[in-house]
Amino acid sequence: MKTWIGAFQIAAVYIGTIIGAGFATGKEIFQFFTQFGFYGMPAILFSGCLFIFLGAKMMITAIDLKAASYRELNIHLFGQRIAGWVNLLQFFMLIGVTGVMLSGTGALFDEHFNLPGNSGILLTIAAGFIVVKKGVKGLLAVNVVVVPLMIIFHLRLAGAAVTEPDFLTDLLLGKDEDHTWRTWLSPLSYTALNLALAQAVLVPLASEVNDKKVIKRGAFLGGGALMLLMLASHACLIQVEDIASYEIPMAYIVEQFLPAFHYLYAFLIYGEIFTSVIGNAYGLKQQMSQKVHWPPGILYLIIFSAGFLLSQISYGTLLGFLYPIFGCISLVFLFLLWKK
């Protein structure tokens, strides 16, 4: 029983780390899957299988290496000489994604709470400081609350979407043949991007748990739930015309299908973004603390300050520019993780 409880906790952190601003708002799923119409669904299934298999492989490798941070895993994958450059690149990627998350918070507060965007960003940073100072226990506590609520809500929303009269027609729409190569590169780059970033949290977490059976079950539960959530989001997104024009398309969908729960979903989106922000901040602090022996509070201040500066760029612009680039860069990480 304890094994399964531990597995559910691992799964919650795994899901919570992946489903940040891009996933929660629907922007990521549209960018990597829904824009390809019918082919988005098999691409999601492929990506889900990769999350299960390679997520488990990454965390088990972390246990074998007794890795305190993703630095040791990258040395194992890339070798001592190249790993330093990879760690530096990954550090800036994590800072960039933290900026995307905070920018998503600003867009959420601006569009759906009618509050200044920076008020949401500063609130997230303040709350993040409190949680990350508690370490892994703080990450677990937040994720085991937010993630189950998000899964239930996504499934309820997808249930409403599939009963729409045009659902099958929208699902089976063809796509522009010019997108053929991008269709099958997308699940690889999406999985690579998220696993490369999630290792900042999952590597030290796996080392602390130090139980391969718990890790394997947690990866299966987490990867399977991610696949289900991606399919549920895709089922909703394909029915919205001009979906690319919305900064937070999933919130618009809730307004259409479940209007009574609009504000509840906005809070859940915020919860999802928050889980990724604190996960990234924790992973960055672990990496920085191996290079400089400054107090954790100072390191978190540097991380959140950099994220705040990036968050001043438009959320949609930041995500649309950074994520595809980071995804392609992370393909090398994905290949080496599979190979080794």
Side-chain angles (χ1 to χ4, degrees), residues 69-325:
S69 78
Y70 62 84
R71 178 174 173 272
E72 289 93 333
L73 179 62
N74 282 336
I75 290 172
H76 169 71
L77 295 178
F78 294 93
Q80 187 78 44
R81 185 177 299 177
I82 300 174
W85 293 103
V86 173
N87 286 330
L88 185 63
L89 175 63
Q90 198 156 10
F91 177 83
F92 285 113
M93 285 171 64
L94 281 165
I95 289 287
V97 172
T98 302
V100 172
M101 302 295 171
L102 291 172
S103 183
T105 302
L108 183 68
F109 271 63
D110 182 38
E111 287 188 11
H112 297 279
F113 297 142
N114 295 315
L115 293 170
N118 278 338
S119 66
I121 293 170
L122 293 173
L123 174 66
T124 304
I125 290 173
F129 259 112
I130 296 170
V131 173
V132 291
K133 293 197 79 173
K134 297 185 181 295
V136 171
K137 288 182 179 178
L139 297 179
L140 288 172
V142 173
N143 280 287
V144 295
V145 174
V146 173
V147 169
L149 289 173
M150 205 51 171
I151 292 173
I152 293 168
F153 205 92
H154 265 270
L155 295 179
R156 175 67 186 87
L157 195 58
V162 299
T163 59
E164 291 293 301
D166 294 332
F167 172 72
L168 282 178
T169 304
D170 293 330
L171 183 66
L172 299 175
L173 279 177
K175 69 173 188 66
D176 189 336
E177 289 303 317
D178 291 342
H179 291 162
T180 301
W181 66 273
R182 288 177 57 208
T183 305
W184 301 112
L185 180 64
S186 278
L188 289 170
S189 60
Y190 180 72
T191 309
L193 167 67
N194 281 290
L195 285 181
L197 296 171
Q199 65 167 313
V201 179
L202 298 181
V203 167
L205 178 64
S207 294
E208 188 162 322
V209 172
N210 199 29
D211 187 326
K212 291 185 178 181
K213 184 180 285 188
V214 170
I215 292 299
K216 286 178 181 178
R217 290 179 178 179
F220 177 78
L221 292 172
L226 283 169
M227 185 194 297
L228 202 60
L229 285 168
M230 287 190 288
L231 287 170
S233 296
H234 176 65
C236 299
L237 291 167
I238 56 171
Q239 298 185 67
V240 180
E241 292 184 15
D242 198 26
I243 192 70
S245 66
Y246 293 95
E247 288 281 270
I248 305 180
M250 285 302 290
Y252 171 77
I253 289 167
V254 173
E255 284 183 1
Q256 303 304 305
F257 295 143
L258 299 174
F261 294 95
H262 170 62
Y263 284 106
L264 172 61
Y265 190 73
F267 279 111
L268 283 176
I269 288 179
Y270 178 76
E272 282 195 43
I273 294 172
F274 185 70
T275 59
S276 285
V277 168
I278 60 175
N280 284 351
Y282 174 73
L284 283 164
K285 190 273 294 182
Q286 289 291 98
Q287 172 70 352
M288 291 173 71
S289 63
Q290 294 184 327
K291 294 291 184 181
V292 292
H293 301 292
W294 295 346
I298 298 296
L299 297 178
Y300 283 127
L301 180 62
I302 294 169
I303 292 163
F304 283 125
S305 296
F308 177 78
L309 291 175
L310 272 174
S311 71
Q312 301 307 296
I313 302 171
S314 162
Y315 166 61
T317 302
L318 203 58
L319 188 146
F321 176 71
L322 290 180
Y323 272 37
I325 294 173

Side-chain angles (χ1 to χ4, degrees), residues 14-15 17-18 28 46-59 70 73-74 77 90 93-94 187-203 219 222-223 226 280 326-327 330-331 333-335 337-338:
Y14 190 5
I15 298 164
T17 304
I18 301 296
E28 250 181 41
F46 180 38
S47 181
C49 292
L50 291 175
F51 273 124
I52 293 171
F53 173 69
L54 293 178
K57 190 173 179 66
M58 180 173 70
M59 289 188 279
Y70 62 84
L73 179 62
N74 282 336
L77 295 178
Q90 198 156 10
M93 285 171 64
L94 281 165
L188 289 170
S189 60
Y190 180 72
T191 309
L193 167 67
N194 281 290
L195 285 181
L197 296 171
Q199 65 167 313
V201 179
L202 298 181
V203 167
L226 283 169
N280 284 351
F326 290 169
S330 301
L331 284 172
F333 166 79
L334 192 75
F335 172 73
L337 181 63
W338 167 76

